[in-house]
């Protein structure tokens, strides 16, 4: 273990003891939960496993983790695309924005690349995400173009019109929208004239092949990514080798736990991400079960911080013939085939079989039948017997200028769905706009 990381861990232990006492004495959620440990000082980080975990269910049941007497700067909610809405009280102070801006500048090389403008195509309503990136970018001298996300005020069509007029050098959005926007602009021959240099994504699990596609459709712009949750207000960042790394600071601590809630220390087994927020905030969360799965990996990028591969939410994994499959695994297969377009859908039929709905790429040179056969050949052998492939024209699966109901990289589970409700469940967009 390198000296820098040892120092960070020592600082995290100090921060943990400080935040633990605050929570144990002043948080309605933790006063009872940690009553038996109140006043306890932890001698090393491994010993925090004696502390009960905090579950999403506790927050969903109305347990308040807001410190008594705290006056938060704002109230926000998660989007609820996972089926659950959680409240959050993030730090949206100017000081936090400056620190985040400096972090982005150093990580993405904004100043060295002379990035002067950025479109923030992220949600602003009831989430701090859009606001946070706007404040951070402005603090390091970048002009922000706030188009928002999933909005009827600034629709996807309007967002693209603004991007074409302003020609931002960077775009911040979700992977689904980055692919859709890039597809439309590429079909109109406008990608090169915009000249985007840097892209940033968050909010979805990213397969390696999707990463490459986003970079390619935007003219090989540099892509950066972030993993986090609204209620946690911090997260992991990607490196150039497409792995996620912990930040080199003492304000958050990560654990990977197996199904028995024991710490996983190797680079083989996957487990649940558990986060403790260690910055002074109105609503700290300790040993919070995110519901997301990851595994530690070795990374050659040179970072001193641990690296991870994000697999997705536990609830996203589906059993097929005794093996758990995550959407990103299928996505990685179909996106490795150049003739497959960027819009797709993974459907679990009522029978439990898997239907893969794909579109042909804009410049596809083979027939639909040939493409179908090519995809089937790439499917793992054990899945072939329960998998079918449907091939559509480019843009036929979903209007690329519509507003999607959910994030990308998810299964559409039709098991238990009535026949008359099938078409509704297969509708990717909640609102459609004409090209």
């Amino acid at each position: 273990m390198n000296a820098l990381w040892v120092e960070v861990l020592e600082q995290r232990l100090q921060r943990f003891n400080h935040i633990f006492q605050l929570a144990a004495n002043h948080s309605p959620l933790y006063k009872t939960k940690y009553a038996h440990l109140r006043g306890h000082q932890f001698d090393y980080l491994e010993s925090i496993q004696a502390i009960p975990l905090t579950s999403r269910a506790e927050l969903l049941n109305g347990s308040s983790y807001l410190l008594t007497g705290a006056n938060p700067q704002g109230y926000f909610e998660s989007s609820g695309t996972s089926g659950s809405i959680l409240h959050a009280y993030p730090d949206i102070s100017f000081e936090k924005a400056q620190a985040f801006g400096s972090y982005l500048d150093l990580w993405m090389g904004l100043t060295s690349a002379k990035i002067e403008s950025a479109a923030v195509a992220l949600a602003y309503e009831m989430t701090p995400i859009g606001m946070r990136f706007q404040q951070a970018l402005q603090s390091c001298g970048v002009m922000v173009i706030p188009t928002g996300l999933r909005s009827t005020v600034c629709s996807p069509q309007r967002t693209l019109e603004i991007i074409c007029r302003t020609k931002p050098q960077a775009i911040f959005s979700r992977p689904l929208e980055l692919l859709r926007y890039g597809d439309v602009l590429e079909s109109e021959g406008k990608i090169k004239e915009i000249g985007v240099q840097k892209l940033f994504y968050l909010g979805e699990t990213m397969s390696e092949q999707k990463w490459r596609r986003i970079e390619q459709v935007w003219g090989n712009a540099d892509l950066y990514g972030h993993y986090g949750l609204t209620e946690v207000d911090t997260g992991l960042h990607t490196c150039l080798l497409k792995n996620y790394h912990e930040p080199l600071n003492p304000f958050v601590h990560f654990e990977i736990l197996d199904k028995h809630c024991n710490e996983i220390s190797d680079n083989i087994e996957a487990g649940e991400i558990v986060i403790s927020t260690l910055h002074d905030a109105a609503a700290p969360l300790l040993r919070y079960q995110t519901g997301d799965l990851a595994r530690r990996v070795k990374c050659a990028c040179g970072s001193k911080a641990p690296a991870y591969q994000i697999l997705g939410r536990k609830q996203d994994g589906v059993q097929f013939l005794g093996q758990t499959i995550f959407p990103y695994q299928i996505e990685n297969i179909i996106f490795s085939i150049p003739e497959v377009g960027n819009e797709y859908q993974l459907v679990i039929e009522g029978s439990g079989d898997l239907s893969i709905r794909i579109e042909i790429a804009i410049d596809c040179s083979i027939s639909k039948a040939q493409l179908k056969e090519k995809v089937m050949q790439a499917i793992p052998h054990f899945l072939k017997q329960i998998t079918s492939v449907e091939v559509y024209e480019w843009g036929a699966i979903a209007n690329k200028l519509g507003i999607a109901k959910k994030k990308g990289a998810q299964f559409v589970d039709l098991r238990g769905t009535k026949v008359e409700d099938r078409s509704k469940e297969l509708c990717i967009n909640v609102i459609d706009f004409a090209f």
Side-chain angles (χ1 to χ4, degrees), residues 48-271:
I48 70 173
Q49 293 188 34
I51 301 173
L53 294 163
T54 304
S55 68
R56 291 171 65 88
E58 288 178 284
L59 303 190
L60 289 170
N61 289 336
S63 298
S64 175
Y65 61 108
L66 183 66
L67 296 180
T68 303
N71 184 26
Q73 297 159 330
Y75 169 85
F76 298 90
E77 290 183 351
S78 62
S79 63
T81 53
S82 64
S84 305
I85 295 176
L86 295 174
H87 52 274
Y89 309 92
D91 181 355
I92 52 175
S93 66
F94 179 68
E95 291 76 17
K96 178 68 177 287
Q98 280 188 310
F100 187 39
S102 297
Y103 169 71
L104 286 178
D105 192 11
L106 180 64
W107 172 28
M108 298 180 66
L110 300 174
T111 299
S112 60
K114 299 181 179 179
I115 301 298
E116 298 179 350
S117 62
V120 178
L122 295 167
Y124 277 77
E125 299 89 346
M126 291 314 301
T127 171
I129 298 301
M131 182 190 307
R132 182 173 302 294
F133 279 90
Q134 176 166 334
Q135 291 175 324
L137 291 166
Q138 289 172 332
S139 75
C140 52
V142 177
M143 181 188 76
V144 173
I145 305 154
T147 63
L149 182 74
R150 302 181 78 231
S151 170
T152 55
V153 176
C154 188
S155 67
Q157 175 72 61
R158 181 72 180 274
T159 295
L160 290 186
E161 291 171 357
I162 292 173
I163 288 174
C164 289
R165 280 197 296 271
T166 59
K167 295 180 173 53
Q169 295 159 302
I171 299 177
F172 292 70
S173 194
R174 298 190 309 182
L176 175 65
E177 281 71 25
L178 286 175
L179 279 176
R180 284 186 169 188
Y181 297 164
D183 262 0
V184 175
L185 293 174
E186 183 182 31
S187 71
E188 297 174 350
K190 296 177 179 178
I191 283 284
K192 290 184 179 179
E193 67 183 60
I194 294 172
V196 172
Q197 298 178 45
K198 294 184 181 291
L199 300 163
F200 189 102
Y201 77 86
L202 71 165
E204 293 176 16
T205 303
M206 176 74 80
S207 68
E208 183 176 350
Q209 292 297 332
K210 181 189 280 183
W211 182 302
R212 292 177 177 173
R213 284 192 170 224
I214 292 175
E215 288 185 323
Q216 290 170 357
V217 76
W218 286 97
N220 294 318
D222 296 328
L223 178 61
Y224 302 80
H226 174 81
Y227 161 81
L229 301 101
T230 302
E231 64 272 24
V232 169
D233 193 26
T234 186
L236 305 168
H237 64 268
T238 59
C239 67
L240 294 177
L241 298 182
K242 306 176 180 61
N243 293 315
Y244 291 84
H245 289 263
E246 293 189 34
L248 282 166
N249 68 52
F251 302 114
V252 61
H253 183 62
F254 292 85
E255 302 171 73
I256 302 292
L257 304 185
D258 63 21
K259 61 183 179 181
H260 303 297
C261 298
N262 296 317
E263 177 78 13
I264 296 173
S265 57
D266 59 45
N267 296 334
I268 301 174
E269 187 179 357

Side-chain angles (χ1 to χ4, degrees), residues 341-356:
N342 291 328
E343 195 87 41
Y344 73 93
Q345 199 170 38
L346 306 177
V347 182
I348 304 173
E349 301 289 354
S351 61
D353 290 353
L354 174 65
S355 293
I356 302 176

Side-chain angles (χ1 to χ4, degrees), residues 81-83 203-205 210 313 315-316 326-328 331 344-348 405-413:
T81 53
S82 64
E204 293 176 16
T205 303
K210 181 189 280 183
R313 289 200 172 276
Q315 66 189 37
D316 290 343
F326 288 88
Y328 86 92
E331 176 185 87
Y344 73 93
Q345 199 170 38
L346 306 177
V347 182
I348 304 173
K405 286 190 292 188
K406 297 182 178 181
K407 302 174 182 179
Q410 293 183 337
F411 287 116
V412 179
D413 194 344

